[in-house]
Short mmCIF file of all heavy atoms in Angstrom, two decimals:
data_model
loop_
_atom_site.label_atom_id
_atom_site.label_comp_id
_atom_site.label_asym_id
_atom_site.label_seq_id
_atom_site.Cartn_x
_atom_site.Cartn_y
_atom_site.Cartn_z
N GLY E 1089 -3.92 29.09 -44.89
CA GLY E 1089 -4.44 28.58 -46.14
C GLY E 1089 -5.04 29.70 -46.98
O GLY E 1089 -5.69 30.60 -46.44
N MET E 1090 -4.83 29.64 -48.27
CA MET E 1090 -5.32 30.72 -49.14
C MET E 1090 -5.31 30.28 -50.59
O MET E 1090 -4.69 29.28 -50.96
CB MET E 1090 -4.45 31.96 -48.99
CG MET E 1090 -3.03 31.82 -49.50
SD MET E 1090 -1.95 33.15 -48.94
CE MET E 1090 -1.89 32.81 -47.18
N LEU E 1091 -6.01 31.06 -51.39
CA LEU E 1091 -5.96 30.94 -52.84
C LEU E 1091 -5.08 32.04 -53.41
O LEU E 1091 -5.14 33.18 -52.94
CB LEU E 1091 -7.36 31.08 -53.44
CG LEU E 1091 -8.27 29.86 -53.51
CD1 LEU E 1091 -9.67 30.29 -53.91
CD2 LEU E 1091 -7.73 28.81 -54.48
N PHE E 1148 -12.00 20.07 -56.79
CA PHE E 1148 -12.31 21.17 -55.88
C PHE E 1148 -12.26 20.72 -54.42
O PHE E 1148 -11.84 21.47 -53.54
CB PHE E 1148 -13.66 21.78 -56.22
CG PHE E 1148 -13.61 22.69 -57.42
CD1 PHE E 1148 -14.20 22.32 -58.62
CD2 PHE E 1148 -12.96 23.91 -57.36
CE1 PHE E 1148 -14.14 23.15 -59.72
CE2 PHE E 1148 -12.89 24.75 -58.46
CZ PHE E 1148 -13.48 24.37 -59.64
N GLU E 1149 -12.68 19.49 -54.14
CA GLU E 1149 -12.59 18.97 -52.78
C GLU E 1149 -11.13 18.87 -52.34
O GLU E 1149 -10.79 19.14 -51.18
CB GLU E 1149 -13.27 17.62 -52.69
CG GLU E 1149 -14.80 17.70 -52.75
CD GLU E 1149 -15.46 16.34 -52.85
OE1 GLU E 1149 -14.72 15.33 -52.89
OE2 GLU E 1149 -16.70 16.29 -52.88
N LYS E 1150 -10.25 18.49 -53.26
CA LYS E 1150 -8.82 18.43 -52.96
C LYS E 1150 -8.28 19.81 -52.64
O LYS E 1150 -7.54 19.99 -51.66
CB LYS E 1150 -8.07 17.84 -54.17
CG LYS E 1150 -6.56 17.86 -54.06
CD LYS E 1150 -6.05 16.90 -53.01
CE LYS E 1150 -4.53 16.78 -53.07
NZ LYS E 1150 -3.99 15.90 -52.02
N ALA E 1151 -8.67 20.80 -53.44
CA ALA E 1151 -8.22 22.18 -53.20
C ALA E 1151 -8.73 22.69 -51.86
O ALA E 1151 -7.98 23.31 -51.09
CB ALA E 1151 -8.70 23.08 -54.33
N VAL E 1152 -10.00 22.43 -51.55
CA VAL E 1152 -10.58 22.88 -50.28
C VAL E 1152 -9.85 22.23 -49.11
O VAL E 1152 -9.51 22.90 -48.12
CB VAL E 1152 -12.08 22.54 -50.24
CG1 VAL E 1152 -12.64 22.69 -48.82
CG2 VAL E 1152 -12.85 23.45 -51.20
N ALA E 1153 -9.57 20.92 -49.21
CA ALA E 1153 -8.88 20.22 -48.13
C ALA E 1153 -7.48 20.80 -47.89
O ALA E 1153 -7.05 20.96 -46.74
CB ALA E 1153 -8.79 18.73 -48.45
N LEU E 1154 -6.77 21.11 -48.95
CA LEU E 1154 -5.43 21.67 -48.82
C LEU E 1154 -5.47 23.04 -48.14
O LEU E 1154 -4.65 23.34 -47.25
CB LEU E 1154 -4.76 21.79 -50.20
CG LEU E 1154 -4.29 20.49 -50.83
CD1 LEU E 1154 -3.99 20.69 -52.31
CD2 LEU E 1154 -3.05 19.95 -50.10
N ILE E 1155 -6.41 23.87 -48.54
CA ILE E 1155 -6.54 25.20 -47.91
C ILE E 1155 -6.87 25.07 -46.44
O ILE E 1155 -6.32 25.79 -45.60
CB ILE E 1155 -7.60 26.02 -48.66
CG1 ILE E 1155 -7.09 26.38 -50.07
CG2 ILE E 1155 -7.95 27.30 -47.89
CD1 ILE E 1155 -8.15 26.97 -50.97
N GLN E 1156 -7.75 24.14 -46.11
CA GLN E 1156 -8.11 23.92 -44.71
C GLN E 1156 -6.93 23.41 -43.89
O GLN E 1156 -6.90 23.56 -42.67
CB GLN E 1156 -9.29 22.96 -44.62
CG GLN E 1156 -10.59 23.58 -45.15
CD GLN E 1156 -11.73 22.60 -45.23
OE1 GLN E 1156 -11.52 21.38 -45.27
NE2 GLN E 1156 -12.95 23.10 -45.24
N GLN E 1157 -5.94 22.81 -44.57
CA GLN E 1157 -4.72 22.36 -43.90
C GLN E 1157 -3.67 23.48 -43.82
O GLN E 1157 -2.56 23.26 -43.35
CB GLN E 1157 -4.12 21.17 -44.65
CG GLN E 1157 -4.98 19.92 -44.64
CD GLN E 1157 -4.52 18.88 -45.65
OE1 GLN E 1157 -3.36 18.89 -46.09
NE2 GLN E 1157 -5.42 17.99 -46.03
N VAL E 1161 -3.11 27.26 -52.57
CA VAL E 1161 -3.61 26.67 -53.81
C VAL E 1161 -3.70 27.78 -54.86
O VAL E 1161 -4.23 28.86 -54.59
CB VAL E 1161 -4.99 26.01 -53.63
CG1 VAL E 1161 -5.55 25.55 -54.97
CG2 VAL E 1161 -4.89 24.82 -52.67
N LEU E 1182 -13.58 29.76 -58.57
CA LEU E 1182 -12.95 30.61 -57.56
C LEU E 1182 -13.92 30.90 -56.42
O LEU E 1182 -13.61 30.71 -55.24
CB LEU E 1182 -12.47 31.91 -58.21
CG LEU E 1182 -11.99 33.03 -57.29
CD1 LEU E 1182 -10.75 32.61 -56.54
CD2 LEU E 1182 -11.73 34.29 -58.10
N GLY E 1183 -15.11 31.38 -56.76
CA GLY E 1183 -16.10 31.71 -55.74
C GLY E 1183 -16.56 30.49 -54.96
O GLY E 1183 -16.85 30.59 -53.76
N MET E 1184 -16.63 29.34 -55.61
CA MET E 1184 -17.05 28.12 -54.92
C MET E 1184 -16.07 27.73 -53.82
O MET E 1184 -16.47 27.35 -52.71
CB MET E 1184 -17.17 26.98 -55.93
CG MET E 1184 -18.31 27.16 -56.92
SD MET E 1184 -18.28 25.92 -58.24
CE MET E 1184 -18.47 24.43 -57.29
N ILE E 1185 -14.78 27.84 -54.11
CA ILE E 1185 -13.77 27.48 -53.09
C ILE E 1185 -13.80 28.48 -51.94
O ILE E 1185 -13.71 28.11 -50.76
CB ILE E 1185 -12.37 27.42 -53.73
CG1 ILE E 1185 -12.31 26.28 -54.75
CG2 ILE E 1185 -11.29 27.24 -52.66
CD1 ILE E 1185 -11.01 26.20 -55.52
N VAL E 1186 -13.93 29.77 -52.26
CA VAL E 1186 -14.01 30.78 -51.20
C VAL E 1186 -15.25 30.55 -50.34
O VAL E 1186 -15.20 30.68 -49.11
CB VAL E 1186 -14.03 32.20 -51.82
CG1 VAL E 1186 -14.31 33.24 -50.75
CG2 VAL E 1186 -12.71 32.48 -52.51
N ALA E 1187 -16.37 30.20 -50.97
CA ALA E 1187 -17.61 29.97 -50.22
C ALA E 1187 -17.46 28.82 -49.23
O ALA E 1187 -18.02 28.85 -48.13
CB ALA E 1187 -18.75 29.69 -51.18
N GLN E 1188 -16.69 27.81 -49.60
CA GLN E 1188 -16.54 26.64 -48.74
C GLN E 1188 -15.48 26.82 -47.66
O GLN E 1188 -15.53 26.15 -46.62
CB GLN E 1188 -16.19 25.41 -49.59
CG GLN E 1188 -17.32 24.95 -50.49
CD GLN E 1188 -16.96 23.66 -51.20
OE1 GLN E 1188 -16.59 22.66 -50.58
NE2 GLN E 1188 -17.07 23.66 -52.52
N THR E 1189 -14.52 27.68 -47.90
CA THR E 1189 -13.41 27.83 -46.96
C THR E 1189 -13.36 29.16 -46.24
O THR E 1189 -12.79 29.26 -45.15
CB THR E 1189 -12.06 27.65 -47.70
OG1 THR E 1189 -11.92 28.69 -48.67
CG2 THR E 1189 -11.98 26.29 -48.38
N GLY E 1190 -13.93 30.21 -46.86
CA GLY E 1190 -13.79 31.55 -46.30
C GLY E 1190 -12.37 32.07 -46.36
O GLY E 1190 -12.01 33.02 -45.67
N CYS E 1191 -11.53 31.45 -47.20
CA CYS E 1191 -10.11 31.79 -47.25
C CYS E 1191 -9.87 33.12 -47.95
O CYS E 1191 -10.67 33.56 -48.78
CB CYS E 1191 -9.33 30.70 -47.96
SG CYS E 1191 -9.62 30.61 -49.75
N PRO E 1192 -8.75 33.78 -47.64
CA PRO E 1192 -8.37 34.98 -48.39
C PRO E 1192 -7.90 34.61 -49.79
O PRO E 1192 -7.47 33.48 -50.03
CB PRO E 1192 -7.22 35.57 -47.56
CG PRO E 1192 -6.66 34.42 -46.81
CD PRO E 1192 -7.80 33.49 -46.54
N VAL E 1193 -8.00 35.57 -50.68
CA VAL E 1193 -7.55 35.39 -52.06
C VAL E 1193 -6.46 36.42 -52.34
O VAL E 1193 -6.67 37.62 -52.15
CB VAL E 1193 -8.70 35.58 -53.07
CG1 VAL E 1193 -8.19 35.38 -54.50
CG2 VAL E 1193 -9.85 34.63 -52.77
N GLY E 1228 -15.29 36.32 -46.74
CA GLY E 1228 -16.12 35.55 -45.83
C GLY E 1228 -16.82 34.44 -46.58
O GLY E 1228 -16.31 33.89 -47.55
N ARG E 1229 -18.04 34.12 -46.15
CA ARG E 1229 -18.83 33.09 -46.79
C ARG E 1229 -20.23 33.62 -47.07
O ARG E 1229 -20.67 34.57 -46.43
CB ARG E 1229 -18.93 31.85 -45.90
CG ARG E 1229 -17.57 31.26 -45.54
CD ARG E 1229 -17.73 29.92 -44.87
NE ARG E 1229 -16.46 29.40 -44.38
CZ ARG E 1229 -16.27 28.15 -43.98
NH1 ARG E 1229 -17.28 27.30 -44.00
NH2 ARG E 1229 -15.09 27.76 -43.55
N PRO E 1230 -20.94 33.01 -48.02
CA PRO E 1230 -22.30 33.49 -48.30
C PRO E 1230 -23.20 33.29 -47.09
O PRO E 1230 -23.05 32.33 -46.33
CB PRO E 1230 -22.73 32.63 -49.49
CG PRO E 1230 -21.85 31.43 -49.45
CD PRO E 1230 -20.55 31.88 -48.88
N PHE E 1239 -22.96 35.19 -54.96
CA PHE E 1239 -21.71 35.28 -54.22
C PHE E 1239 -20.54 34.89 -55.11
O PHE E 1239 -19.50 35.56 -55.12
CB PHE E 1239 -21.76 34.38 -52.99
CG PHE E 1239 -20.51 34.38 -52.16
CD1 PHE E 1239 -20.27 35.38 -51.22
CD2 PHE E 1239 -19.55 33.39 -52.33
CE1 PHE E 1239 -19.11 35.38 -50.47
CE2 PHE E 1239 -18.39 33.39 -51.58
CZ PHE E 1239 -18.17 34.38 -50.64
#
Side-chain angles (χ1 to χ4, degrees):
M1090 67 194 67
L1091 276 171
F1148 282 109
E1149 287 172 359
K1150 173 70 171 177
V1152 167
L1154 287 165
I1155 291 169
Q1156 291 173 339
Q1157 295 167 21
V1161 173
L1182 170 64
M1184 292 172 61
I1185 295 175
V1186 172
Q1188 292 186 54
T1189 63
C1191 71
V1193 180
R1229 302 190 186 193
F1239 179 83

